[in-house]
Amino acid sequence: MYATSKIHYDVTQKEMKQPTLIQIWKTQNELEQSVAGKIYEVIRRKLKEKTQCCIVLSGGGTPRNVYRRMGLDETNTLIDWNRVQVFFSDERAVPPDDPQSNYGMVQREWISHIPVPRSHVHRIQGELNPKSAARKYEQEIRKIFEHDPVVFDLVLLGVGEDGHTASLFPGTDAVLEKEALVTSTFVQQFKNWRVTLTVPVLNAAHEIIFLAAGTKKAAIIQRILEKDTPDIKLPASLIQPPQGTLCWMIDEEAGLELKEHSSIIIQRL
Ligand code: 6PG
């Protein structure tokens, strides 16, 4: 049972595992260009349907390349940025000007190139005590959604070679959090604290895109996608939006170990 603000749904295992769409591009270059275009397409589509569009962006090298392309894409002038709210999936416990900051990276690569109101960019305050930063971020999210359920329109996630996504790392309590929207977590392998959105709020999203490229991700992608049921040892496998869509957008290298499976649909582009 996942409870996210007013969303309460008891999703049976069967419902949880809809076929997952895997889109595979020949090169990382084509993949990144397609993901950048997809994000703008979702934003434009959502703004035709509703008053505002709320997106969640992840950190990491692969997402960074996408943000760089988005920043250079002239079609971004076609978007009414006054109706877009930008959130982050997670943040390292560092100040915004630290090279490790996800916000700092997205700001440099994309946000500084678009006229989105600064008050619409919801930074996780990594410079604060992680627990306080988590609490403040949750309050800010709830304030934007007011009395509506916290349902993000689009979530862009990366995946680590250990199966983590956002800052939901295997073996951490953050992976098990079922009530809070945001939590703080100490990541042993990086010896640092992080603040992250939790599984329930990610799974409440309308559209989730996993982005991965390169041979290093091939093994973990196969391990995640061959799973019939979510596995807390592979946090990315817990991301199964019962009412939303899930699409993995990867390049051929990242798809090298992928095997046909009843719960995945592979599209080669
Ligand atoms: C972070 C991200 C993290 C990232 C993955 C993939 O804070 O680092 O949120 O979840 O998306 O680790 O990163 P790469 O694309 O660089 O492998």
Side-chain angles (χ1 to χ4, degrees):
M1 176 78 161
Y2 283 144
T4 301
S5 79
K6 295 186 185 61
I7 296 181
H8 293 275
Y9 40 80
D10 181 8
V11 183
T12 63
Q13 209 55 49
K14 179 174 61 59
E15 286 174 276
M16 280 288 279
K17 191 71 180 160
Q18 303 298 326
T20 302
L21 176 61
I22 321 295
Q23 295 184 319
I24 303 179
W25 276 264
K26 284 196 177 316
T27 66
Q28 183 164 350
N29 183 54
E30 288 172 21
L31 166 67
E32 290 166 1
Q33 195 60 39
S34 301
V35 174
K38 170 87 174 175
I39 292 170
Y40 279 149
E41 180 272 321
V42 174
I43 294 173
R44 281 197 294 271
R45 171 163 37 90
K46 287 295 178 186
L47 291 179
K48 285 185 185 137
E49 298 164 2
K50 52 198 297 195
T51 52
Q52 76 174 1
C53 174
C54 296
I55 65 172
V56 173
L57 300 177
S58 281
T62 317
R64 183 191 56 232
N65 297 342
V66 172
Y67 306 142
R68 186 169 296 156
R69 291 171 183 277
M70 291 165 65
L72 303 172
D73 182 336
E74 268 118 50
T75 63
N76 67 50
T77 57
L78 304 177
I79 289 172
D80 178 0
W81 293 105
N82 292 310
R83 294 197 291 134
V84 179
Q85 301 279 352
V86 180
F87 296 86
F88 296 83
S89 64
D90 62 315
E91 187 56 274
R92 294 80 181 273
V94 295
D97 58 356
D98 185 295
Q100 280 293 313
S101 167
N102 286 339
Y103 161 79
M105 178 270 286
V106 179
Q107 166 68 21
R108 279 190 305 277
E109 301 295 351
W110 180 48
I111 293 170
S112 56
H113 298 269
I114 58 171
V116 64
R118 289 299 163 258
S119 62
H120 286 204
V121 180
H122 306 284
R123 177 175 76 83
I124 301 171
Q125 295 173 278
E127 68 277 18
L128 299 181
N129 162 293
K131 284 184 172 43
S132 308
R135 195 173 55 249
K136 283 177 177 290
Y137 189 47
E138 176 149 347
Q139 286 166 353
E140 187 161 345
I141 293 171
R142 289 189 184 279
K143 188 170 158 220
I144 293 300
F145 283 87
E146 294 176 338
H147 304 297
D148 294 332
V150 177
V151 178
F152 290 111
D153 294 297
L154 174 66
V155 175
L156 177 70
L157 293 172
V159 62
E161 292 174 56
D162 59 356
H164 82 261
T165 190
S167 282
L168 299 166
F169 284 81
T172 62
D173 290 345
V175 173
L176 306 172
E177 177 55 51
K178 286 191 170 32
E179 295 302 327
L181 307 182
V182 187
T183 190
S184 57
T185 178
F186 183 75
V187 183
Q188 195 59 38
Q189 63 259 48
F190 296 123
K191 297 278 184 287
N192 68 6
W193 279 90
R194 299 205 175 180
V195 175
T196 184
L197 291 180
T198 58
V199 172
V201 70
L202 291 171
N203 273 339
H206 282 309
E207 300 192 37
I208 299 176
I209 296 172
F210 265 111
L211 163 64
T215 50
K216 286 182 180 173
K217 300 291 173 75
I220 196 63
I221 287 174
Q222 168 55 19
R223 283 183 59 205
I224 291 163
L225 293 174
E226 71 186 0
K227 285 280 170 196
D228 274 330
T229 55
D231 179 348
I232 59 170
K233 296 189 291 302
L234 294 172
S237 73
L238 303 178
I239 306 304
Q240 297 283 349
Q243 275 96 17
T245 62
L246 173 63
C247 178
W248 283 73
M249 297 177 77
I250 66 176
D251 67 359
E252 276 191 357
E253 288 190 350
L256 273 179
E257 298 189 24
L258 211 48
K259 297 177 181 64
E260 296 292 334
H261 190 274
S262 58
S263 65
I264 63 174
I265 297 167
I266 296 177
Q267 272 179 0
R268 294 188 184 277
L269 297 110

